[in-house]
Amino acid sequence: MDLTRVTTRELIAKYGLDDNTVDFIGHALALHRDDRYLDEPALDTVKRMKLYAESLARFAGGSPYIYPLYGLGELPQAFARLSAVYGGTYMLNKPDCKVEFDEEGKVCGVTSEGETAKCKKVVCDPSYLPNKVRKVGKVARAIAIMSHPIPNTNDSHSAQVILPQKQLGRKSDMYLFCCSYSHNVAPKGKFIAFVSTEAETDHPETELKPGIDLLGPVDEIFFDTYDRYEPVNEPSLDNCFISTSYDSTTHFESTVVDVLNMYTLITGKVLDLNVDLSAASAAEE
C-alpha cells in the first residue's frame, strides 16, 4: 500500500477501526488538532505515530514527553547562557521596544529608552511588529491551582489529557495539562492544571467546562483569552523573522515546528535533529 496515495480514512477502513480508536490514534498519538488529517495522505499520520513510539522508548518513565524542572522558564535561561558563550548580550525588562528600519525597509536596529541597538536581523513575536502579522484565531485558557492530582490518573504528578473535537461536538480539540510541586513549579502539596482550546465563542468558562470538570475540586481558577497571530511579511525583504503565536496545544509540537522553520529562514540551513541528539547522547556517555 502506497501511503502517499492512500488517505488516512482509507487506511483506517482497511483495518476496520472503530471511531474511538480512530480518535485516540489521530488525536492522542499522532497529535492532529482536528479531523482534516483523515482526508490527507496517510504517510504523515504513520510517521507521527512512529515518532510517538520512538519518543516513548527514548526516556525511562513510560511517557513520550519531557518537562523541565522549574518550568518552561528554564528554556530562555538556557538560551541566555548559550548566548553569552557566543558573545551575545541578554537585556531584560526593556520597555517600549521599537524596531527601526532603513530607507530600503530593512531592519537596522531596536530602540528602547532612547538607546538603539544596531542589528541586521530581528527575531521577535507578533507583539513587536503588529503591522506585519494577521489574526488567525483566539485561544481560551484556564489555569487552576489544586491540592491534588487530576482524578483517575493514578495520582500522577504530571499528565496530559486530549479531548478530541468529535467527542466534544467542537471544531477543535481541548487540551488538559497538569504539573506539580515535584517539578518545582508550585509550593509543596500544590498542583497546577491548564485547560485550553481554540476559542469558538466569547465565553471561556462555558467552552472549557468539559476539561475543567475532569480536574475535581480546585482551590482557585483563572480564565483568559488571547488572539493568535501569524506573520505576513517577507523576511528576505525586511530581515524580520516573526514567530507564530502560541496555539492551544500543551505539547508544544507546533511551536517546535515554527522554531525549526524560522531557523531555516534565518540561516538557510535545515537543522538535523537526529545528528544533534546523537551528539548530545555521546556527550552524556
Side-chain angles (χ1 to χ4, degrees):
M1 180 180 289
D2 186 350
L3 297 180
T4 61
R5 297 178 180 273
V6 174
T7 67
T8 305
R9 192 184 301 276
E10 291 170 328
L11 181 65
I12 288 168
K14 174 180 173 59
Y15 289 97
L17 304 179
D18 65 31
D19 287 346
N20 288 331
T21 303
V22 172
D23 271 347
F24 177 77
I25 290 173
H27 294 261
L29 298 186
L31 298 178
H32 289 293
R33 288 180 283 168
D34 53 47
D35 282 343
R36 285 179 294 182
Y37 77 95
L38 290 170
D39 298 309
E40 295 173 351
L43 182 61
D44 179 53
T45 295
V46 172
K47 284 183 174 180
R48 284 168 170 263
M49 293 168 61
K50 182 172 180 285
L51 175 63
Y52 187 99
E54 290 173 347
S55 300
L56 193 64
R58 182 174 289 274
F59 301 103
S63 172
Y65 303 105
I66 55 175
Y67 188 82
L69 294 178
Y70 299 99
L72 297 176
E74 288 298 283
L75 299 182
Q77 185 171 192
F79 170 80
R81 292 171 182 167
L82 192 60
S83 174
V85 169
Y86 287 94
T89 301
Y90 206 80
M91 302 170 71
L92 297 174
N93 198 30
K94 294 294 287 184
D96 304 321
C97 290
K98 179 187 177 186
V99 181
E100 305 286 355
F101 296 89
D102 62 21
E103 60 276 2
E104 296 179 358
K106 291 183 178 294
V107 69
C108 60
V110 178
T111 298
S112 175
E113 296 182 316
E115 295 180 319
T116 300
K118 299 292 185 180
C119 65
K120 295 180 180 179
K121 297 178 181 178
V122 160
V123 183
C124 64
D125 71 38
S127 66
Y128 289 93
L129 292 168
N131 61 328
K132 292 181 180 287
V133 298
R134 67 179 176 188
K135 180 180 175 180
V136 292
K138 184 167 66 172
V139 172
R141 180 176 61 178
I143 302 174
I145 300 173
M146 310 182 300
S147 299
H148 58 83
I150 297 175
N152 304 312
T153 60
N154 292 323
D155 293 331
S156 298
H157 280 240
S158 64
Q160 177 174 247
V161 180
I162 299 175
L163 306 177
Q165 58 173 68
K166 188 187 299 180
Q167 298 185 20
L168 299 174
R170 294 176 49 80
K171 298 176 183 176
S172 56
D173 292 354
M174 187 172 297
Y175 300 87
L176 167 57
F177 170 73
C178 178
C179 51
S180 75
Y181 62 92
S182 65
H183 302 90
N184 299 331
V185 297
K188 184 73 173 177
K190 294 297 182 181
F191 294 73
I192 300 176
F194 303 83
V195 184
S196 56
T197 189
E198 189 72 18
E200 298 175 9
T201 71
D202 293 322
H203 307 288
E205 295 90 345
T206 303
E207 278 200 78
L208 297 171
K209 189 176 186 302
I212 293 170
D213 286 347
L214 299 178
L215 299 180
V218 300
D219 300 340
E220 197 159 358
I221 190 165
F222 308 89
F223 292 93
D224 181 31
T225 59
Y226 62 88
D227 294 329
R228 289 197 302 110
Y229 297 93
E230 66 179 15
V232 295
N233 67 311
E234 178 48 65
S236 63
L237 299 178
D238 58 16
N239 284 339
C240 295
F241 301 88
I242 309 170
S243 64
T244 300
S245 302
Y246 290 118
D247 58 28
S248 60
T249 60
T250 51
H251 49 73
F252 293 101
E253 180 192 34
S254 53
T255 300
V256 171
V257 170
D258 187 35
V259 169
L260 292 175
N261 290 337
M262 290 176 68
Y263 176 87
T264 300
L265 280 174
I266 295 167
T267 66
K269 304 174 184 177
V270 176
L271 185 64
D272 190 337
L273 288 176
N274 290 322
V275 171
D276 228 36
L277 288 172
S278 297
S281 297
E284 288 177 5
E285 292 172 3

